Structures are given as structure tokens and as C-alpha cells.
Amino acid sequence: MSQKTALVTGAARGIGLATSKLMIERGWQVAMLDRDTEELQKVSANLSGAVPFFCDVSILSEVEKTLPAILERFGRLDAVVNNAGVAQFGPIEDTDFETWRTVMETNLDGVFLVSQAAVPALKESQGSIVNIASISGLRASTLRVAYGTSKAAVIHLTKQQAAELGESGVRVNCVCPGPVRTKLAMAVHSQDIIDAYHDAIPLNRYGSETEIAEVIEFLCSERASYVTGQIIASDGGFESTGIGLPSLRS
């Protein structure tokens, strides 16, 4: 009962999976949550200290059933990592309302629903929330009207949560990953896109899932005990360069 417990949503792959593994390495118990039942079952099977929970964070009834089950299993909740998200890219005029709502339901509604359900337990443990937004929530880009807007909303939601929950000792922060070398990104990014990102990022490379997980785990831990309401871009400097010409940096 004394071992700290974290809930990680979107834990079946990518940053969520990397965060789950790192937190287990650092001594946390992890409730791994995802709606992809088959993949979550597979990746969690050999992770000691992890328990899978199958839930779609955009559906209130599923969240209302899952949070009590997590507390029943672990007895406490010390951190929530709201990582679950979907990406739909396309021009504004081609983004229909159904697509818009699909993105908002998971990326924004899911963060709200899971956080709200977890608040009583986090107040008891004086725990923390880390919301995962995106560099697309900090700087506009083409083809991201729904995705970027949802992530910008998560950034402001983080500030709202931090302002209100701080009185109860609950910290809330937000991580905005930049381009990350995931299997999906490498499958869909052409060499031209990869070169363009490298030119625009001061560190001249994509980040890794584990590098993002390190920031998340730090914010969840007592090492960040006086950090709340912060928006941290883990992006190799991508956001800091704005629209500056890469050639001027060389």
C-alpha cells in the first residue's frame, strides 16, 4: 500500500508505453489504460508492477467504472498521466464536424473526464497530474486545425487545474512533445519531411519516446514538488525557433 501508483492512459504504445516502463523501473506501480485491448494485453504481460485496464477515456461511463477499479486494485493513486490521444490531419475546409468531435472527445474530453474522476484520490495522496499536449498546441501548423486546437485547449486546462487543485496540494503540469521518432512517424514521414524537421530543430534530430518519458516521470515525482502549472516543451528547441530561417542558425 505504500508503493506509489500511477495511471497512464494511452499506455499500449508510444510515449504512454515508454512512460509506463520507465515509471516501473523507478519503483512505481502502474495502471496501464488503453482502449486497444489486444495490444495492451500483449505489452503489459511481462511488465512486473503493471496492471492493464481497458477503457475508452472519451466515454464517461467507462471512466466512471475504471477509476474505482484501479483504486480497488492498488489502494491509492499518486499520479495521472493523461497521454491518450488521436491525430487527424487535413485542411480546414476538409475537416468535417465528425472528425473535429472525434479528436476533441479523446484529446480534450478524455483529459477532463479522467482528471476529474481521479481528483479525490489525488487530493488524498497530494499527488500530481501530467497532461500530454503537443508542440502543435504551442505553435500553429498546417493541416492541424482539430489536433492543434485540442492540444492548445489541454494546455489551458492544465493551468485551470493547477490554479484550483493547488490548494489541495495536487500539482498539475503539461508536457508538449515535439517531433518524436516513433514507429508511426518514421513510417509516414518522407525523407523530405525528416530533413525539414531536422533543419527546424536546434538539436537537429527527432526526440525519443524515452526522452519524453523522463520529463513526465520527473514531473510526477517528488523531485518536482514545487513545480505546478507549467507547460514544458520537450522538443529539442523546436518551439523556440518559431518561423526563423534554419539557414540563419548555421
Side-chain angles (χ1 to χ4, degrees):
M1 292 289 287
S2 63
Q3 188 177 10
K4 288 193 172 184
T5 299
L7 162 61
V8 180
T9 72
R13 56 178 56 80
I15 292 169
L17 178 56
T19 300
S20 299
K21 289 180 176 179
L22 181 65
M23 296 190 84
I24 291 168
E25 289 176 12
R26 301 280 164 83
W28 293 75
Q29 301 177 112
V30 178
M32 298 177 67
L33 189 153
D34 206 287
R35 65 185 180 188
D36 187 338
T37 304
E38 183 177 349
E39 187 66 18
L40 182 61
Q41 192 71 58
K42 182 174 69 174
V43 299
S44 65
N46 296 318
L47 291 178
S48 177
V51 178
F53 291 86
F54 310 110
C55 173
D56 185 332
V57 299
S58 70
I59 300 175
L60 174 59
S61 60
E62 293 195 16
V63 173
E64 288 179 333
K65 288 189 298 184
T66 302
L67 266 293
I70 291 171
L71 289 170
E72 182 178 357
R73 172 64 177 78
F74 291 106
R76 62 184 294 164
L77 185 60
D78 302 272
V80 172
V81 179
N82 284 306
N83 170 72
V86 296
Q88 297 276 0
F89 300 144
I92 291 175
E93 61 269 28
D94 294 338
T95 302
D96 57 31
F97 188 63
E98 183 179 358
T99 298
W100 173 273
R101 284 305 311 149
T102 296
V103 173
M104 294 298 168
E105 284 168 358
T106 296
N107 293 7
L108 180 57
D109 298 353
V111 175
F112 172 76
L113 293 175
V114 172
S115 298
Q116 188 176 60
V119 162
L122 293 175
K123 284 184 175 181
E124 186 174 338
S125 66
Q126 294 202 319
S128 65
I129 298 171
V130 178
N131 297 323
I132 311 305
S134 168
I135 198 67
S136 294
L138 291 171
R139 54 181 289 178
S141 182
T142 55
L143 309 181
R144 287 168 169 79
V145 63
Y147 180 76
T149 303
S150 73
K151 294 301 188 178
V154 168
I155 289 169
H156 191 74
L157 176 58
T158 298
K159 295 178 181 181
Q160 293 286 158
Q161 292 171 328
E164 185 169 338
L165 298 177
E167 296 178 355
S168 301
V170 178
R171 299 180 298 104
V172 190
N173 294 287
C174 183
V175 176
C176 297
V180 177
R181 183 173 285 276
T182 63
K183 290 181 180 179
L184 176 60
M186 292 304 96
V188 300
H189 286 187
S190 65
Q191 190 59 49
D192 285 348
I193 292 175
I194 293 171
D195 292 343
Y197 271 130
H198 284 192
D199 284 342
I201 298 170
L203 290 184
N204 199 39
R205 64 177 177 84
Y206 285 64
S208 72
E209 295 161 346
T210 301
E211 286 177 310
I212 309 302
E214 287 280 3
V215 180
I216 296 168
E217 194 276 333
F218 166 73
L219 291 172
C220 289
S221 75
E222 288 300 317
R223 305 192 308 281
S225 58
Y226 200 53
V227 181
T228 194
Q230 299 307 299
I231 313 303
I232 300 176
S234 183
D235 67 345
F238 186 41
E239 195 265 340
S240 69
T241 62
I243 58 172
L245 297 177
S247 60
L248 297 180
R249 296 205 319 267
S250 59

